[in-house]
Structure formats: C-alpha cells, structure tokens
Amino acid sequence: MQDATGVIKKLKRMMGIKTDLQLSEILDVKPNTISSWKKRDSLQYEGLIALCKEHKIDLNELFFSDSTAVYNTSYHKRKVKMISIDHHFEYFLDSEKTLATAPSYVFPTTEEVDTAFQVSVDNMYPTIKMTSYVITKRITLKDLQLWHIYLFILKDKGIVIYRFKRIAEDGTLLLISDNPSFENIQVKPGDVREVFCVRGAFLPNMKTATEL
C-alpha cells in the first residue's frame, strides 16, 4: 500500500497533469488540501474513488505499489502461503494446521509478506476485487495506521478485509468498506484474533510466482 504522497504522484501521472493545483481543481477541493493530505499521510478516498471510476483508472494500480505487476525479478524472494476461499473456514478453526498444508509460492517483491488470502466478499470493490488474492504481512493492533487496508481474523465474523478509519471513544475499531453497498463495522480489540497488513492484490494467475 502506497502512502498519500505516492498515491497523489501516481494519480497526477495517470491524469496527465503536473501540479497539485491542477489536481485540486479536478477533485474540487481547496488548493492547500493536497499539501495537507501529504503532511498527514491521509486521503479523501470518496473523491478519489469517484474520480477513478469516471476516468476508468484501476484502483489497485493507484493505491498499491505495482499491485498488478507486483513482482520484479530484481526484488527479494518471499515465500508466501496461499489460503484460498475453500480453506478460509479451515484456517479460522486451526490456522497453524492450515498453514502447514497450504501451498507456498515464491514472490519477488520488496515488501515484507508471508500470507496471501483469497477475497471472498465484494465489500472492498473496486479497490480489491472478489476472488483476487491479497498479499499480507502479519502485524499487531498497535501497528494499525489510519486509512490503510487490513485483513482481520475476527471471533464472530471470520476473515474480513476493511479499511481502518479510527479508534472510537469506547476503544472499538471503526472499519469501513470501499464499496458503499456494504455497511461499515465496529470491532472490539478483544475480538481480533489476528491482523494482517495488506501489501498488494492480484487476480489468481500464478504465472508471476514460483510454486514450491
């Protein structure tokens, strides 16, 4: 996942513009808003997603660093365990046993990654498409960063993917969908069994990886 500065830079290149002022006019925001996004490392996702839909810009390509061609042979080789939709429930019941028998692939990537999960729900569309895989790195709750996308293993909901908005006054995590057809949720920290930072996404075409 790219930071705000990286997203803004790439969006300007995709739109064929050179200045933050031009981008602010297209997004209909104040001229200093773009600079503020860079400083706070935050973005107004609703406006960006609407702009991408209008100009047919691939959100995976915009938000993730080289997500569709995430792998360059000059990068470090990472061994990644693949958890398909068919094995979500198995992983939920016994993650260690599932990982032990899951297929592994080697991905050349600069990112620290260890597990790839296939997406079973469309709540993050169009940023992440259903049936694609998200490549992730296991982290702790204290590592959560605002507006980044994470995969959570929740006690009552299983495997879910949401964008982290903020921590509410009562301590619950506010998680939002990129797809407006889906509701946002609040999660108690104690209900989080595992959390993974989403580093990239790809459709299931394993020509870019090496099976072990």
Side-chain angles (χ1 to χ4, degrees), residues 52-71:
C52 289
K53 286 183 178 179
E54 180 182 353
H55 292 273
K56 300 187 183 336
I57 293 173
D58 188 331
L59 288 169
N60 282 314
E61 185 178 351
L62 176 62
F63 288 114
F64 295 111
S65 20
D66 294 329
S67 60
T68 54
V70 47
Y71 320 107

Side-chain angles (χ1 to χ4, degrees), residues 107-160:
F107 288 85
T109 173
T110 58
E111 300 279 11
E112 289 283 348
V113 292
D114 50 38
T115 315
F117 294 87
Q118 193 170 22
V119 180
S120 61
V121 183
D122 234 1
N123 71 300
M124 293 304 292
Y125 180 84
T127 311
I128 300 175
K129 299 175 182 177
M130 189 166 66
T131 74
S132 64
Y133 279 84
V134 289
I135 307 173
T136 70
K137 173 66 177 177
R138 185 182 284 101
I139 61 171
T140 64
L141 287 178
K142 67 179 182 179
D143 298 319
L144 293 178
Q145 297 183 43
L146 300 181
W147 297 106
H148 285 215
I149 298 174
Y150 297 95
L151 182 143
F152 297 88
I153 313 297
L154 303 179
K155 288 182 179 179
D156 297 326
K157 296 180 180 295
I159 298 174
V160 300

Side-chain angles (χ1 to χ4, degrees), residues 66 69-78 107-111 208:
D66 294 329
V70 47
Y71 320 107
N72 182 312
T73 54
S74 65
Y75 291 359
H76 299 294
K77 291 183 177 180
R78 311 288 188 188
F107 288 85
T109 173
T110 58
E111 300 279 11
T208 54

